[in-house]
Amino acid sequence: GGNIKALVFGRYKSLSAMVYVHDLSSMSIIPWYSPKGKSLKGEKHSMNGQENVKIISMDTIQAEEVKWLWYPYIPYGKITIIQGDPGEGKTTFVLKLAALLSRGKCFGEGEVVSIQEPVSVIYQTAEDGLADTIKPRLAEAQADCTKILVIDDSEKSLSMQDERIEQAVRKTQAKVLVLDPIQAYLGEKV
């Protein structure tokens, strides 16, 4: 067993380093399905006097094309999860990706990448020290550290439901949010 963190490819072993990539024109920090503020046509059904549940018919859903940061690995507006056992390099991978994005680049020569200029990345870590681990790794990866940002959670813990995340994304116009490890940011209601 390993620990859950949160960015890419599935939920099979332990998860590490969640990255939420978004397109500012259609920002939604909540990771559950919400089609960019569009109302969904559906009916509420009562179940034996219990709470109503809204049922949505798929014929009311308008199909949308997926926008990609890095095709076919990291889509905009979706949660991407990096999986792997402890010590397999999940955090290193995410920090190298953040460093590349901060310089307007991405992995994969000849692959479809929608980065044309440097982007801001919000990187939250609950396991590693910023000064002794994260900053040296970013420096080694040649990150533009003016583009790598951290929400100060020294006075109040941060969770995925915390409004400070959306405020920080809007204020900084960050295109990528990394939560490492994801389980540290799930909050008490999960």
Side-chain angles (χ1 to χ4, degrees):
N3 51 4
I4 300 173
K5 293 185 184 180
L7 178 86
V8 165
F9 319 114
R11 287 191 166 154
Y12 302 105
K13 296 180 183 177
S14 62
L15 305 177
S16 187
M18 180 186 99
V19 174
Y20 182 80
V21 182
H22 68 89
D23 175 352
L24 285 175
S25 66
S26 60
M27 186 176 77
S28 174
I29 295 301
I30 307 302
W32 294 271
Y33 182 73
S34 172
K36 301 178 183 108
K38 298 175 187 167
S39 64
L40 300 175
K41 297 176 185 172
E43 299 178 26
K44 289 188 176 182
H45 297 275
S46 177
M47 303 178 79
N48 298 328
Q50 305 244 340
E51 193 172 325
N52 288 339
V53 60
K54 187 174 184 178
I55 305 297
I56 300 168
S57 173
M58 286 303 295
D59 70 332
T60 65
I61 304 297
Q62 183 176 347
E64 297 177 352
E65 184 178 335
V66 175
K67 294 179 184 177
W68 295 91
L69 170 70
W70 177 22
Y71 181 84
Y73 307 109
I74 305 175
Y76 280 107
K78 312 288 183 195
I79 290 180
T80 303
I81 297 179
I82 300 294
Q83 69 174 8
D85 289 327
E88 288 187 341
K90 299 172 297 293
T91 298
T92 300
F93 169 77
V94 173
L95 288 171
K96 285 184 179 182
L97 177 62
L100 286 168
L101 294 172
S102 75
R103 296 190 331 262
K105 299 178 181 188
C106 195
F107 290 118
E109 298 220 4
E111 296 187 33
V112 178
V113 178
S114 68
I115 294 294
Q116 284 97 36
E117 59 187 36
V119 298
S120 294
V121 175
I122 296 175
Y123 186 90
Q124 294 301 127
T125 180
E127 288 186 342
D128 297 309
L130 296 176
D132 64 4
T133 305
I134 301 303
K135 177 71 182 264
R137 287 185 181 183
L138 288 169
E140 182 180 323
Q142 300 175 338
D144 175 353
C145 287
T146 65
K147 297 284 189 185
I148 310 294
L149 312 161
V150 178
I151 300 168
D152 184 352
D153 61 356
S154 61
E155 293 181 16
K156 180 182 175 195
S157 296
L158 194 66
S159 75
M160 289 175 65
Q161 297 86 20
D162 197 313
E163 65 186 29
R164 292 178 294 166
I165 292 176
E166 184 171 353
Q167 292 169 358
V169 168
R170 288 187 186 280
K171 181 177 182 177
T172 65
Q173 298 197 357
K175 289 272 192 181
V176 178
L177 168 66
V178 179
L179 302 176
D180 182 4
I182 190 171
Q183 75 265 30
Y185 299 97
L186 292 177
E188 58 190 46
K189 294 182 181 180
V190 176

